Amino acid sequence: MAEENPVSWFAAPPVFDLGLELPDWYRQLQETSWQTFLTLPEPARTDQNWRFSDLKKVRFSELQAARPAENAEALVQRAKTERVEDFAAHFVFANNRLIHSEINELPAGAICLPLNEALVECGDLVKNHFMKEEGSLGGSKFSALHAAATLSGLFIHFPQGATCKLPILTHHFASGDFNCVFPHMLVVAEGQAEVTVLETFETAAEDEQTFFFANTDLIANNGANLQYVALQDESDHGPKHIQLNSSRVGRDANIKSAFVNLGAAWVRQEAIARMMEEGSDCQVFSANLANGTQEYDQRTLQSHEAQHTTSDLLFKNALYDQARTIFAGLIEVQSGSHHTDSYQTCRNLLGSDQAEANAMPGLEIDADQVKCSHGSTSGQISDEEIFYLQARGIPAEQARQIISLGFLNESIARLKGEAVQSYLFDRVERKFKSLT
Amino acid sequence: MSQTLNIQNLHASVDGIEILKGLDLEVPKGEVHAIMGPNGSGKSTLSKVLAGHEDYEVTDGRVTMDGTDLMELEIDERSREGLFLAFQYPHEIPGVSNANFLRAALQARLPEGEEIDAVGFYKEMYAKMDALSMDRKFTGRAVNDGFSGGEKKRNEILQMMMLEPSYAILDETDSGLDIDALKIVAEGVNRMRSPERGFLVITHYQRLLDYIVPDVVHVLFDGRIIKTGDKELAHELEEKGYDWLTNELVAV
């Protein structure tokens, strides 16, 4: 096959004009980020961070700033029909534009605004936290692109003691070939605050070449509890999805984050969890169902930067057909971070001889009194398990499905909130039923 | 049509080694039959063969359930047809809740397009769990995952109670149970005894048969039934040991 044309990417930043007066610092940051984006090299497989990646899929030859979606009303209906029933607020974006918002109840003093509005209304607060993560697991070029282009997504700030049991929901739709969206999510939970955010990424139509460049930064300060869940349920063919996530956990605070992937042709997710102060705890979960020629590429870092910090990571992949997954996870216990407890597990369930699961767990420890474990396993459903279900009258094919669904559900079940769990479970089940 | 589970001249092998060597047995509906036998006599093989496990090859003989040829049916078809096997070592199914598992099993028995009534299902399940002194939290827990030995066996009996089979095979359900758990399990079984249902209780020990009193006791040795009697036979075996019968057999 002939080599594709060299990547042209964009001639100019793919920013659409919202007619907003944005703060100067933001305009400058966009400009600097754009220059950084142009300067940074493209991913190469010689880089350990891109090992095993199918780099053909990382070539973005024809990208364009998304025009408004045509079927906005239908998309709003779709988002409303399938959302978690009880929620604090719901925002729907299509091709970067806010097309629907509803606020039921937010605690006093909480800010929950689309990014472009937040820049105008509380620009300084946004500035303190916006795109501050300097570490990278390989995606810095995409991070720069995101910073140069994003004006969609949410800024959420929960002040000291603000709590909300119900989740804040967002939907991000992309539609139209070669259109790119830049969903941003910045959540700051101050002391003792409690917040859950559930994001859903979808495409408006089947098999369009759409692109998601999402960035998700989570900050939990003293004693805060923050839960973030991303469901990527885009069309199986066409869409490419990049999501860069950082979590900064403060003293006695906790962040739970989860990434569920069902759709998209290619996914790259990077998650950096930084336990910054004593008592920091972070839990990262993922459940992925890949079939056809889907490729899910996930890289994680659990960075322990203080004493008495804990983290746990559980990633589960169910693979069918010629699907591929890549998991590379590093636990890093930095100098002096004594009494760290850190765990990392990646499990793969292979539903086909041609599916390929790559796992690269890693551990670097520079402290004492540390408990760390990491491991990855790959296997198939055992015949004895199927026999057990069949002996209860369940046909073999369905038995396989139930067992696989349970396998993925093990990480979903670790999240808080039954409604969030069953929302994810139903979507995973729906995809299983579509596989025949 | 005969209302029995009928086994004639059953021969079965694993990995080319013959384990069942011409086994004959008939369990009519309404009766509880116990099969006792020393280790390696073929007790578990019999239960696996009846359930349809693919590692076991049936080389000769015939098994019918109410006249239906069991060997012609797939594993899941046998179950839906009314056969139940309570496993000696129930499998764990991580991530699948007990409630969802039972629902799937019941759903598989309904005609296509028909859905289980969720309210009625939970009501029935809770009632049956109460009867087995099972905590409600078990509905949400993954099937057998992290269950103790006794909890697993109780869960098997719960499944039996929910699926209401015509014939139930209990494969060493007493193994690993303390006396309290044994009584609860036996009570569950006794409540299920009915003229519409036959039981085949496989056990190594007579103790279980004090609580589930059998109508007929068979002794299995070297792949064949070598003696059949009433419940007194179980006591006799307990006293004299299996050697009493097997030596006799060798002497002949």
Side-chain angles (χ1 to χ4, degrees):
Chain A
M1 213 164 57
E3 189 73 359
E4 283 178 45
N5 289 332
V7 177
S8 64
W9 297 69
F10 305 94
V15 183
F16 61 94
D17 186 13
L18 281 163
L20 290 170
E21 286 296 320
L22 296 172
D24 287 343
W25 69 266
Y26 193 75
R27 290 291 186 203
Q28 277 159 20
L29 186 105
Q30 285 185 312
E31 181 48 35
T32 326
S33 302
W34 177 248
Q35 291 309 322
T36 308
F37 166 67
L38 294 177
T39 317
L40 285 172
E42 277 170 48
R45 219 197 271 237
T46 46
D47 180 350
Q48 176 69 17
N49 282 322
W50 290 92
R51 208 174 151 209
F52 294 115
S53 293
D54 184 356
L55 291 178
K56 284 199 295 296
K57 291 176 168 158
V58 194
R59 283 199 200 110
F60 301 98
S61 47
E62 278 188 76
L63 301 184
Q64 61 194 28
R67 288 177 295 274
E70 282 166 11
N71 39 3
E73 202 39 52
L75 296 177
V76 171
Q77 278 316 313
R78 207 167 109 188
K80 283 167 117 175
T81 312
E82 297 203 309
R83 67 190 171 191
V84 171
E85 200 175 324
D86 296 318
F87 57 89
H90 186 198
F91 295 82
V92 184
F93 298 85
N95 285 5
N96 295 314
R97 281 111 178 137
L98 181 70
I99 56 171
H100 179 76
S101 68
E102 256 175 276
I103 293 176
N104 287 337
E105 55 164 77
L106 285 170
I111 297 167
C112 180
L113 287 172
L115 180 62
N116 53 29
E117 289 178 35
L119 284 168
V120 176
E121 290 189 20
C122 49
D124 289 345
L125 191 56
V126 177
K127 187 184 175 187
N128 289 341
H129 302 288
F130 188 76
M131 299 294 288
K132 294 290 189 203
E133 180 56 52
E134 287 178 354
S136 169
L137 300 174
S140 48
K141 192 174 175 76
F142 303 110
S143 168
L145 175 63
H146 178 92
T150 185
L151 275 174
S152 76
L154 293 186
F155 171 67
I156 298 171
H157 182 267
F158 269 42
Q160 175 97 21
T163 62
C164 186
K165 295 284 175 205
L166 298 177
I168 294 169
L169 314 179
T170 71
H171 273 79
H172 284 278
F173 289 100
S175 83
D177 276 331
F178 309 114
N179 279 345
C180 318
V181 297
F182 299 91
H184 192 80
M185 177 59 75
L186 174 54
V187 187
V188 182
E190 303 290 2
Q192 275 75 46
E194 198 172 323
V195 57
T196 288
V197 179
L198 170 56
E199 286 207 279
T200 305
F201 301 98
E202 291 188 43
T203 40
E206 292 295 301
D207 306 344
E208 287 181 333
Q209 299 278 330
T210 53
F211 301 88
F212 290 76
F213 297 94
N215 192 95
T216 308
D217 290 327
L218 312 172
I219 297 158
N221 289 321
N222 292 1
N225 286 294
L226 195 169
Q227 174 166 272
Y228 170 83
V229 179
L231 168 65
Q232 180 277 109
D233 196 9
E234 295 152 19
S235 166
D236 286 1
H237 304 284
K240 293 177 182 175
H241 184 100
I242 294 178
Q243 184 171 16
L244 307 176
N245 158 239
S246 81
S247 299
R248 286 165 174 258
V249 198
R251 190 180 178 98
D252 298 323
N254 162 266
I255 294 182
K256 276 186 174 50
S257 60
F259 302 89
V260 177
N261 290 292
L262 305 175
W266 179 76
V267 172
R268 167 87 178 190
Q269 271 159 347
E270 299 178 7
I272 297 176
R274 301 179 60 183
M275 282 53 76
M276 322 273 292
E277 293 175 76
E278 279 193 31
S280 301
D281 174 56
C282 192
Q283 295 166 39
V284 192
F285 304 112
S286 190
N288 305 303
L289 173 50
N291 72 316
T293 55
Q294 287 179 316
E295 178 174 309
Y296 294 162
D297 178 355
Q298 295 177 306
R299 317 270 162 158
T300 66
L301 170 66
Q302 294 154 267
S303 175
H304 291 267
E305 304 174 16
Q307 295 195 34
H308 296 285
T309 55
T310 51
S311 71
D312 193 7
L313 177 147
L314 178 62
F315 276 35
K316 304 200 99 181
N317 298 309
L319 297 91
Y320 294 83
D321 310 322
Q322 292 94 47
R324 295 181 83 225
T325 58
I326 300 155
F327 169 78
L330 178 64
I331 292 177
E332 196 175 70
V333 182
Q334 295 195 359
S335 170
S337 302
H338 309 303
H339 308 284
T340 287
D341 278 8
S342 187
Y343 305 96
Q344 180 202 89
T345 308
C346 173
R347 297 198 191 288
N348 302 300
L349 188 66
L350 298 169
S352 141
D353 293 343
Q354 294 166 323
E356 181 189 316
N358 302 282
M360 294 173 281
L363 204 56
E364 283 174 19
I365 300 175
D366 187 10
D368 306 317
Q369 302 283 327
V370 165
K371 272 195 272 179
C372 285
S373 77
H374 66 162
S376 76
T377 56
S378 289
Q380 296 170 338
I381 297 174
S382 82
D383 291 342
E384 291 302 318
E385 237 174 313
I386 294 171
F387 174 65
Y388 187 61
L389 273 77
Q390 273 192 288
R392 298 296 175 254
I394 299 166
E397 207 36 55
Q398 200 195 338
R400 285 177 185 283
Q401 234 177 62
I402 289 173
I403 293 165
S404 309
L405 187 58
F407 170 81
L408 293 182
N409 187 44
E410 269 199 294
S411 71
I412 293 172
R414 300 273 295 271
L415 294 170
K416 275 190 297 190
E418 270 183 38
V420 169
Q421 285 181 17
S422 61
Y423 176 74
L424 297 172
F425 185 84
D426 290 350
R427 288 294 185 102
V428 178
E429 187 175 39
R430 186 199 296 179
K431 177 161 181 186
F432 267 115
K433 286 188 170 155
S434 76
L435 308 176
T436 38
Chain B
M1 198 165 45
S2 61
Q3 296 290 300
T4 68
L5 177 65
N6 190 299
I7 303 168
Q8 287 171 27
N9 188 35
L10 186 62
H11 289 256
S13 317
V14 188
D15 298 330
I17 299 162
E18 188 168 61
I19 310 285
L20 300 184
K21 303 171 179 174
L23 187 142
D24 295 297
L25 184 67
E26 186 168 27
V27 183
K29 270 189 183 153
E31 293 186 9
V32 174
H33 287 224
I35 292 196
M36 302 186 69
N39 289 329
S41 58
K43 299 191 300 290
S44 280
T45 297
L46 174 62
S47 71
K48 294 273 175 59
V49 166
L50 292 177
H53 196 291
E54 280 156 8
D55 286 353
Y56 299 81
E57 192 194 352
V58 174
T59 52
D60 199 3
R62 193 174 147 75
V63 182
T64 57
M65 187 167 78
D66 297 347
T68 305
D69 185 349
L70 212 54
M71 297 300 135
E72 289 297 307
L73 301 179
E74 295 289 331
I75 305 160
D76 50 306
E77 289 172 326
R78 295 180 195 194
S79 166
R80 296 199 297 274
E81 204 59 36
L83 186 74
F84 182 89
L85 169 62
F87 281 61
Q88 182 178 5
Y89 303 111
H91 231 281
E92 297 175 6
I93 318 173
V96 178
S97 75
N98 243 344
N100 282 347
F101 176 61
L102 280 170
R103 271 178 82 146
L106 286 166
Q107 184 69 50
R109 287 159 164 78
L110 295 180
E112 204 160 322
E114 214 172 292
E115 286 287 327
I116 283 193
D117 164 37
V119 178
F121 164 75
Y122 275 97
K123 214 176 139 190
E124 186 186 341
M125 181 170 61
Y126 287 148
K128 289 175 173 171
M129 287 174 78
D130 289 349
L132 290 168
S133 307
M134 280 177 86
D135 194 291
R136 297 267 165 100
K137 70 171 191 251
F138 283 101
T139 53
R141 278 180 58 181
V143 180
N144 298 327
D145 194 7
F147 285 27
S148 72
E151 287 165 349
K152 283 182 182 176
K153 296 297 173 76
R154 244 183 271 190
N155 209 26
E156 292 292 290
I157 302 304
L158 173 67
Q159 291 171 26
M160 178 178 77
M161 290 167 87
M162 292 298 289
L163 298 178
E164 301 181 332
S166 311
Y167 297 94
I169 306 160
L170 276 56
D171 188 4
E172 307 220 10
T173 296
D174 50 337
S175 65
L177 292 189
D178 61 35
I179 191 70
D180 295 327
L182 184 77
K183 281 181 186 167
I184 292 168
V185 162
E187 206 180 295
V189 172
N190 288 330
R191 288 159 65 107
M192 292 281 289
R193 289 177 82 150
S194 114
E196 301 303 313
R197 188 169 291 126
F199 285 90
L200 192 55
V201 180
I202 297 173
T203 180
H204 188 73
Y205 305 102
Q206 177 270 335
R207 186 181 67 156
L208 176 68
L209 304 181
D210 285 343
Y211 298 97
I212 304 173
V213 180
D215 299 297
V216 182
V217 175
H218 307 274
V219 179
L220 180 64
F221 180 72
D222 196 24
R224 271 184 292 257
I225 302 291
I226 55 165
K227 194 168 180 72
T228 295
D230 61 12
K231 64 180 189 225
E232 291 311 318
L233 177 57
H235 287 114
E236 216 168 342
L237 274 171
E238 183 76 1
E239 265 169 47
K240 300 182 182 169
Y242 287 108
D243 290 348
W244 158 58
L245 283 175
T246 56
N247 287 342
E248 192 175 281
L249 201 71
V250 172
V252 173

